[in-house]
């Protein structure tokens, strides 16, 4: 008998399928609603229309925040790379207690609740006049973008041969030229994946944005939240679908660049080091 | 790529006028500590212009560390390094005018072969026309014409290592550093590349420092061998001298196979001495040590002959053939000695007429008995 159809294997498959359906069903319903034509968030129906997509890409109450979200996501992605790249290069091949400590320091904000970070940042940002500004939110989001970009770059860099950089040095390239001509090209997939992940995290982030944005910087998730308090428009479902689309694409591309195995290996390497 | 006759050009090695010129590389009192580990322990050596010197030693003896300090990839703990007479001890790697070939090839994966080889010249600001010219010459030198557009990932191991060699020689470094450059290749390819590399080195007269833990490789390629042991230089001499007159039991044991018997000097007169081994044998050897000195006696398997009747030779030991093995060009015999020890003997095919259990006499000259002091 084909082992694929043996009882244990089959039951794992069924359980796996149930889990996937369970995880994805809210997303499916949201996407379905977004293609309806009724002005209310009613039961999913079968009439197909793109009117809500038309609305979110034309009505200024959505397009403004949409632009803000893009600006903030791009900025925080760049900021995350600027912080994560040197950290990843410095720590990827380092060993010892200090390296472990620094590694922990880079990763820890990622596991902090957004609400806690938001409260802390709010006090800090208003002191130095960053409250309600783009740079303020960008910095806040890079608290999550940096660790994720760090992981991606580190995973790729750990797999490269450091001897190539040494060869470049011996052949006459200074540290700067070695970085731009040899190191950077070899970690580019990690940098790209890191940029993408940081972008998506910022684009999706709600809690810190809620505390730190003002009307001229407000992001999409925050407007969704505020609009939901007065009306439930299927436009929200359309926006949600855009979010889902962007996130799914980013994860697919990012994992392609780094490799699922790359991320897993990194965790294994970390575990072995300790 | 075959029938390359490799003759180290000894006369081109000695600088004209009797060796008064500055060596291309000189190392004085060089040390490297990694925390409590002493990787390199105050060593001195030099490499003359055009010379091919190997650093040979067991794993962990400090070969790579020494080479990396010369390249500037590792800070020195103490000591000084001179390249062509100028002190480079604290210069960064890019200012030393060396080139290095790594065991892992260390090619730039995102550049094609041409750009890999051109890298060092670009860094030196050489004009485009000259770069193309010199890269072409280097590619011809390593017999890789036509591969310029390929990426390193599209090359075999041997081809990659040739690109690495081309990339290094094209910049005409003051000294070429090679760290186990051929170790990753299979045996046949390795022997071929040994010949090619040696030919190249002799033709271009490139001063080279070659790290290896393969004694055969060091013996075939080098003008001089530096044998290292636990961060110290055990011997620094020409290959034949290292082989025939090892400076210590360590060197004798590391280079080539040998039988080792421990004992002490029982009598000495001028050049020759008699060593009484711990099992009570008296052996004659060349050594001018003090009577009573603890020593080890090393005898190469090739230096021993076997006889059915007791011959007249400086040293004769009686034993029984324990086993033999066919080794292609020769036969290897293991002779069981009266004290229970074994003697390894390497016999040419036509002399190999003994069978298991035969009583034989193993004989060897006093000049083939290497006597080294033992701590
Ligand atoms: N970065 C380092 N940190 C700590 N110890 C090191 C480091 N590099 C080398 N060592 C130690 O220094 C000693 C010499 O190492 P080295 O790499 O020079 O040996 P080697 O002769 O090249 O050996 P092999 O033939 O195995 O390559 C070893 O004991 C090694 O463990
Ligand atoms: Mg080594």
């Amino acid at each position: 008998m084909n082992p694929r159809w043996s009882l244990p294997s089959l039951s794992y498959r069924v359980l796996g399928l149930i889990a996937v359906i369970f995880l994805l069903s809210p997303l499916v319903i949201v996407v379905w609603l977004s293609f309806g034509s009724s002005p209310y968030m009613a039961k999913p129906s079968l009439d197909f229309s793109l009117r809500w997509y038309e609305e979110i890409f034309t009505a200024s109450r959505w397009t403004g925040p949409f632009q803000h979200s893009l600006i903030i996501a791009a900025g925080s992605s760049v900021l995350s790379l600027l912080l994560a790249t040197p950290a990843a290069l410095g720590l990827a091949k380092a060993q010892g207690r200090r390296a472990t400590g620094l590694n922990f320091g880079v990763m820890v904000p990622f596991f902090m609740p957004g609400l806690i970070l938001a409260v802390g940042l709010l006090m800090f940002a208003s002191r130095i006049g960053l409250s309600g500004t783009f740079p303020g939110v960008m910095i806040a989001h890079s608290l999550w973008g940096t660790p994720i970009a760090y992981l991606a770059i580190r995973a790729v860099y750990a797999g490269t041969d450091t001897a190539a950089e040494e060869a470049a040095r011996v052949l006459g390239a200074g540290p700067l030229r070695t970085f731009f001509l040899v190191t950077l090209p070899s970690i580019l997939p990690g940098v790209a994946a890191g940029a993408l992940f940081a972008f998506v995290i910022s684009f999706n982030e709600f809690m810190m944005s809620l505390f730190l944005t003002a009307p001229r910087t407000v992001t999409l998730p925050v407007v969704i939240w505020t609009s939901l308090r007065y009306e439930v428009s299927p436009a929200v479902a359309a926006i949600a679908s855009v979010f889902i689309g962007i996130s799914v694409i980013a994860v697919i591309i990012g994992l392609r660049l780094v490799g699922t195995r790359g991320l897993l290996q990194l965790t294994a390497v970390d575990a072995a080091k300790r | 790529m075959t029938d390359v006759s490799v003759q180290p050009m000894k006369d081109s090695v000695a600088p004209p006028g009797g060796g008064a010129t500055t060596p291309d590389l000189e190392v004085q009192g060089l040390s490297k500590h990694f925390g409590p580990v002493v990787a390199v322990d105050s060593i001195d050596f030099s490499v003359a212009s055009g010379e091919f010197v190997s650093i040979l030693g067991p794993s962990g003896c400090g070969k790579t560390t020494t080479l990396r300090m010369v390249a500037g990839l590792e800070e020195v703990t103490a000591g000084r390094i001179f390249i062509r007479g100028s002190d480079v001890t604290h210069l960064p790697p890019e200012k030393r005018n060396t080139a290095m070939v790594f065991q892992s090839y260390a090619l730039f994966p995102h550049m094609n072969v041409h750009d890999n080889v051109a890298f060092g010249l670009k860094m030196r600001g050489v004009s485009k026309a000259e770069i193309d010219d010199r890269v072409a010459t280097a590619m011809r030198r390593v017999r890789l014409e036509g591969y310029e557009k390929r990426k390193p990932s599209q090359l075999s191991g041997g081809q990659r290592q040739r690109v690495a060699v081309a990339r290094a020689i094209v910049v005409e470094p003051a000294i070429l550093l090679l760290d186990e450059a051929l170790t990753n290749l299979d045996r046949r390819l390795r022997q071929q590349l040994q010949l090619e590399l040696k030919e190249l080195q002799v033709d271009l007269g490139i001063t080279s420092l070659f790290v290896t833990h393969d004694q055969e490789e060091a013996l075939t390629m080098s003008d001089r061998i530096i044998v290292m042991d636990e961060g110290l230089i055990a011997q620094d001499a020409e290959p034949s001298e290292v082989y025939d007159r090892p400076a210590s039991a360590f060197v004798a044991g590391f280079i080539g196979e040998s039988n080792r018997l421990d004992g002490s000097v029982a009598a000495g007169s001028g050049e020759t001495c008699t060593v009484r081994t711990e099992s009570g044998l008296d052996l004659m050897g060349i050594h001018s040590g003090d009577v009573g000195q603890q020593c080890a006696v090393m005898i190469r398997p090739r230096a021993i002959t076997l006889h059915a009747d007791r011959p007249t030779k400086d040293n004769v030991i009686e034993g029984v053939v324990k086993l033999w093995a066919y080794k292609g060009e020769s036969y290897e015999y293991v002779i069981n000695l009266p004290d229970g020890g074994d003697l390894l003997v390497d016999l040419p095919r036509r002399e190999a007429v003994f069978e298991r259990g035969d009583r034989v006499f193993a004989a060897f000259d006093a000049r083939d008995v290497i006597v080294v002091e033992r701590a």
Side-chain angles (χ1 to χ4, degrees):
Chain A
M1 196 173 66
N2 188 334
R4 280 172 64 191
W5 304 113
S6 70
L7 191 62
S9 156
L10 200 62
S11 52
Y12 282 132
R13 274 152 196 280
V14 171
L15 280 177
L17 198 63
I18 292 172
V20 169
I21 291 171
F22 178 74
L23 289 173
L24 293 185
S25 54
L27 306 183
V28 172
I29 290 176
V30 166
V31 175
W32 192 344
L33 282 172
S34 74
F35 287 109
S37 63
S38 137
Y40 308 104
M41 282 266 243
K43 286 199 299 257
S45 62
L46 285 178
D47 53 334
F48 178 83
S49 119
L50 285 176
R51 60 179 284 205
W52 302 115
Y53 286 91
E54 200 186 323
E55 175 174 338
I56 62 167
F57 288 115
T58 50
S60 67
R61 59 190 281 237
W62 303 118
T63 54
F66 194 40
Q67 276 168 19
H68 301 160
S69 277
L70 289 178
I71 292 170
I72 290 167
S76 115
S77 171
V78 169
L79 185 59
S80 298
L81 286 187
L82 290 179
L83 293 170
T85 309
L89 297 187
L91 291 175
K93 283 162 190 178
Q95 274 166 6
R97 212 176 307 158
R98 229 177 311 164
T100 314
L102 286 170
N103 188 40
F104 177 78
V106 177
M107 287 310 301
V108 93
F110 191 70
F111 298 100
M112 288 292 129
L115 181 64
I116 307 293
L117 290 178
V119 170
L121 282 164
L122 183 61
M123 299 191 280
F124 177 67
S126 46
R127 274 243 175 130
I128 56 172
L130 283 179
S131 180
T133 65
F134 282 129
V137 202
M138 288 172 185
I139 291 170
H141 286 178
S142 59
L143 286 177
W144 282 354
T146 305
I148 200 80
Y150 168 79
L151 276 189
I153 297 168
R154 220 187 117 147
V156 171
Y157 186 61
T160 64
D161 183 5
T162 335
E165 292 166 84
E166 296 183 335
R169 290 296 299 274
V170 174
L171 284 170
L176 220 57
R177 282 205 285 187
T178 300
F179 176 76
F180 284 107
L181 297 176
V182 177
T183 316
L184 194 56
S186 67
I187 59 167
L188 217 50
V191 173
L196 214 56
F197 291 150
F199 183 93
V200 171
I201 283 180
S202 165
F203 195 72
N204 292 350
E205 203 285 327
F206 166 64
M207 193 65 80
M208 292 190 261
S209 305
L210 179 67
F211 280 71
L212 291 168
T213 51
R216 68 202 151 80
T217 53
V218 72
T219 62
L220 267 186
V222 179
V223 253
I224 293 176
W225 159 253
T226 37
S227 80
L228 279 178
R229 286 155 70 188
Y230 307 108
E231 48 152 357
V232 183
S233 155
V236 170
I239 294 173
S241 302
V242 171
F243 274 104
I244 293 167
I246 290 180
S247 305
V248 167
I249 291 168
V251 169
I252 290 172
I253 297 178
L255 289 183
R256 271 278 164 82
L257 288 168
V258 188
T260 330
R261 209 170 284 151
L263 281 176
L264 293 179
Q265 260 165 12
L266 183 71
T267 352
V269 167
D270 264 5
K273 238 186 233 166
R274 267 160 223 145
Chain B
M1 291 184 201
T2 44
D3 68 30
V4 184
S5 83
V6 176
Q7 275 302 316
M9 305 197 325
K10 283 283 158 48
D11 39 5
S12 77
V13 165
T21 13
T22 8
D24 272 356
L25 173 69
E26 187 165 5
V27 159
Q28 295 175 352
L30 193 64
S31 294
K32 178 71 192 183
H33 300 188
F34 292 105
V37 180
V38 182
V40 177
D41 194 1
S42 188
I43 61 171
D44 303 89
F45 66 89
S46 64
V47 183
S49 178
E51 206 179 8
F52 190 110
V53 174
S54 291
I55 301 183
L56 176 66
S59 187
C61 71
K63 308 180 293 289
T64 297
T65 307
T66 304
L67 202 72
R68 289 173 59 83
M69 285 193 283
V70 172
L73 296 171
E74 208 81 70
E75 282 286 335
V76 309
T77 304
R80 302 219 284 164
I81 300 166
F82 298 88
I83 291 178
R84 291 196 173 148
S86 58
D87 189 340
V88 301
T89 315
H90 300 292
L91 286 186
E94 62 269 22
K95 301 235 169 79
R96 296 193 179 195
N97 193 26
T98 67
M100 190 151 171
V101 180
F102 295 79
Q103 181 175 357
S104 62
Y105 318 127
L107 298 177
F108 308 129
H110 56 286
M111 294 182 201
N112 65 24
V113 169
H114 176 279
D115 291 348
N116 262 280
V117 178
F119 189 88
L121 297 174
K122 274 188 198 144
M123 294 305 112
R124 285 164 170 75
V126 175
S127 73
K128 172 100 177 45
E130 193 186 335
I131 288 180
D132 288 344
D133 218 44
R134 283 168 70 175
V135 169
T137 312
M139 292 298 284
R140 214 169 319 123
R141 273 259 151 229
V142 298
R143 304 164 213 255
L144 272 183
E145 308 103 308
Y147 287 86
E148 287 82 358
K149 290 276 164 291
R150 293 227 199 158
K151 285 283 176 66
S153 56
Q154 299 166 317
L155 298 176
S156 72
Q159 289 167 336
R160 284 181 207 187
Q161 203 51 293
R162 285 188 202 159
V163 175
V165 169
R167 184 177 69 175
I169 60 169
V170 78
V171 300
E172 294 171 4
I175 180 155
L176 177 63
L177 307 169
L178 306 107
D179 188 5
E180 311 260 3
L182 307 176
T183 305
N184 278 5
L185 306 170
D186 68 60
R187 196 180 148 76
R188 261 187 63 79
L189 188 58
R190 184 147 133 205
Q191 286 171 340
Q192 184 187 336
L193 276 179
Q194 281 172 7
L195 292 178
E196 286 182 21
L197 190 60
K198 183 66 196 177
E199 189 196 13
L200 197 75
Q201 187 268 333
V202 171
D203 279 3
L204 302 179
I206 309 174
T207 312
S208 312
L209 187 59
F210 184 86
V211 159
T212 180
H213 63 251
D214 180 341
Q215 41 119 348
E216 217 178 293
E217 195 165 272
L219 288 171
T220 25
M221 298 184 74
S222 322
D223 297 320
R224 198 147 53 75
I225 297 179
I226 296 172
V227 185
M228 280 187 76
D229 180 25
E230 296 185 346
L232 294 165
I233 293 182
Q235 189 167 12
D236 177 351
E238 286 183 13
S240 59
E241 185 166 341
V242 171
Y243 190 84
D244 293 331
R245 286 189 294 283
S248 66
F250 169 79
V251 177
F254 192 72
I255 312 255
E257 268 184 316
S258 46
N259 295 288
R260 175 177 173 160
L261 300 164
D262 287 347
S264 58
V265 179
S269 62
E271 281 283 274
T272 61
C273 69
T274 305
V275 174
R276 163 85 36 96
T277 68
E278 281 166 0
S279 56
L281 293 169
D282 279 337
L283 298 176
M284 223 159 61
I286 310 285
H287 185 62
S288 47
D290 296 333
V291 173
Q293 164 83 50
Q294 294 282 81
C295 64
V297 166
M298 320 284 298
I299 311 142
R300 302 281 183 205
R302 270 291 158 88
I304 305 173
T305 52
L306 293 183
H307 308 264
D309 305 308
R310 179 177 288 275
T312 46
K313 277 237 185 176
D314 295 340
N315 297 295
V316 178
I317 312 177
E318 200 177 344
V320 177
V321 175
K322 190 165 151 192
L323 48 92
W324 57 265
Y326 179 54
K327 304 253 291 191
E329 286 303 295
S330 62
Y331 282 78
E332 191 173 271
Y333 277 80
V334 179
I335 308 300
N336 202 217
L337 301 182
D339 65 5
D342 286 335
L343 195 68
L344 206 62
V345 181
D346 201 39
L347 283 190
R349 216 189 290 217
R350 60 192 157 72
E351 289 176 30
V353 293
F354 303 98
E355 291 298 331
R356 271 186 71 173
D358 284 358
R359 177 153 293 277
V360 291
F361 295 93
F364 42 94
D365 289 335
R367 67 181 158 79
D368 288 325
V369 176
I370 304 157
V371 183
V372 286
E373 281 167 22
R374 178 162 63 94

